[in-house]
């Protein structure tokens, strides 16, 4: 905690230009209280960490459920100074009594109130949703920034994002094409914006990171989606990913995977799924399940039906979700798009490639047969040929 109350109720913030000697003197002459629970707190002036307040007894204050790290405190102070430099009205750790929340920074900009939350520790989904619900009720818009120490970057564009990370995927404006996730590192002073999510599986995802010095960007950059193109390397990474699915998926021995393999047989062994399945789409991140699985289900369904309505395809996916063979990603802060959007985009892609045709606005007909490769070599070759045509369609 960097803010406390004095005996007379006055707010005291430790970021506002105190020298160590002044703070030592202040500690001798004053008592300090927590703005939330009113209990007395201690001013800590060690050499290792930024001066801060701490409750005398841990765990007695509802707002102090997470112990605050030095990393967190440093980032919070960076954001505060950064906002001050832009002459934006911001308060550190302001306690909102009505909703019992104390965001790291509360910001008023162009008549709107924002709560900037810099999250460095893991919190439960329940607590996360409760906090967001409270902000919503009070008309405050939360902006969540994760501590960059959470970020697992496997290669320039490949990330491991757990269910916890995806909680922080935010739609920052009603017209953003996709959500994004913010990360900040107080050591490098860099803000990382993960954009253009195209997921490979429930954990692994492709994303284009936009990395900038905090001092080089404005608060308004937190409210607009950066325009970034997919790098050309994306397509070769995607092809590599399809190969990995073909070679490794049948080896995973989980119960769900076995059930999926059983569904694909006898029409196709899982490694030889049709090359027409397993393509990236702008909204395929809405599924946690790898695209080759839900797309193969659609292909098998279309083949069986010949002509069918869009809603029957949506129902087919819904059935598989009930059986837990397909899962939708949990995105509490990015609810603009429903997973059917991704299904619709897939049907459009199949139409573009000449495999289906619209009979009317709701009905499609299967007009060109999917490929069922006999060998892995044949499958990989066909994946490669189709890639060129999909790539040309762009995302
Ligand atoms: Zn307290």
């Amino acid at each position: 905690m960097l803010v406390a109350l004095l005996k007379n109720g006055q707010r005291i913030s430790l970021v506002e230009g105190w020298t160590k000697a002044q703070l030592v003197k202040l500690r001798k002459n004053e008592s300090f209280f927590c703005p939330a629970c009113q209990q007395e707190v201690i001013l800590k002036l060690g050499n290792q960490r930024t001066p801060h307040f701490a409750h005398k007894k841990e765990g007695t204050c509802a707002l102090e459920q997470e112990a605050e790290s030095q990393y967190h405190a440093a980032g919070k102070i960076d954001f505060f100074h950064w906002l001050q430099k832009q002459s934006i009205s911001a308060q550190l750790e302001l306690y909102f009594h009505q909703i019992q929340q104390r965001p790291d920074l509360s910001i008023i900009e162009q008549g709107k109130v924002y709560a900037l939350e810099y999250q460095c520790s893991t919190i439960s989904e329940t607590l996360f949703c409760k906090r967001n619900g409270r902000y919503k009720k009070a008309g405050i818009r939360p902006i969540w920034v994760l501590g960059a120490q959470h970020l697992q970057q496997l290669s320039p564009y490949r990330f491991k994002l757990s269910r916890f990370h995806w909680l922080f995927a935010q739609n920052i404006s009603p017209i953003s094409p996709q959500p994004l996730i913010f990360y900040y590192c107080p050591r490098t002073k860099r803000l990382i914006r993960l954009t253009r999510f195209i997921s490979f599986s429930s954990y692994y995802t492709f994303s284009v990171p936009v990395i900038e010095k905090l001092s080089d960007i404005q608060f308004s950059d937190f409210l607009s989606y950066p325009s970034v193109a997919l790098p050309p390397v994306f397509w070769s990474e995607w092809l590599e990913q399809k190969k990995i699915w073909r070679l490794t998926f049948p080896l995973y021995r989980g119960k769900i995977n076995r059930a999926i393999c059983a569904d694909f047989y006898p029409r196709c062994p899982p490694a030889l799924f049709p090359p027409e399945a397993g393509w990236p789409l702008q909204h395929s991140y809405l599924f946690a399940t790898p695209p080759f699985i839900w797309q193969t289900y659609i292909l098998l369904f279309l083949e069986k039906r010949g002509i069918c309505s869009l809603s029957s395809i949506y129902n087919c996916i819904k059935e598989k979700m009930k059986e837990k063979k397909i899962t939708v990603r949990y995105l509490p802060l990015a609810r603009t798009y429903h997973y059917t959007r991704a299904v619709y985009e897939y049907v459009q892609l199949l139409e573009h490639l000449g495999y289906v045709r619209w009979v009317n606005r709701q009905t499609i007909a299967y007009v060109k047969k999917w490929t069922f490769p006999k060998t892995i070599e044949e499958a990989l070759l066909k994946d490669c040929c189709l890639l060129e045509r999909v790539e040309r369609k762009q995302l």
Side-chain angles (χ1 to χ4, degrees), residues 260-275:
I260 293 169
C261 291
D263 281 350
F264 287 5
Y265 275 118
R267 193 67 186 95
C268 60
L272 300 177
F273 65 85

Side-chain angles (χ1 to χ4, degrees), residues 34 37 55 61:
C34 167
C37 69
H55 285 77
C61 175

Side-chain angles (χ1 to χ4, degrees), residues 1 33-41 55 60-64 102:
M1 256 161 62
F33 302 89
C34 167
C37 69
Q38 313 295 334
Q39 293 181 78
E40 193 168 347
V41 290
H55 285 77
T60 53
C61 175
L63 282 187
E64 221 193 23
R102 187 194 55 193

Side-chain angles (χ1 to χ4, degrees), residues 103 184 206 375:
Y184 179 69
F206 181 93
T375 62

Side-chain angles (χ1 to χ4, degrees), residues 4 87 153 181 185 257 292-293 314 326 361 386 389-390:
S87 307
Q153 186 169 18
I181 308 178
C185 173
N257 281 23
F292 85 93
I293 295 176
Y314 296 157
I326 294 177
R361 283 177 63 186
L386 264 180
R389 300 183 57 203
V390 176

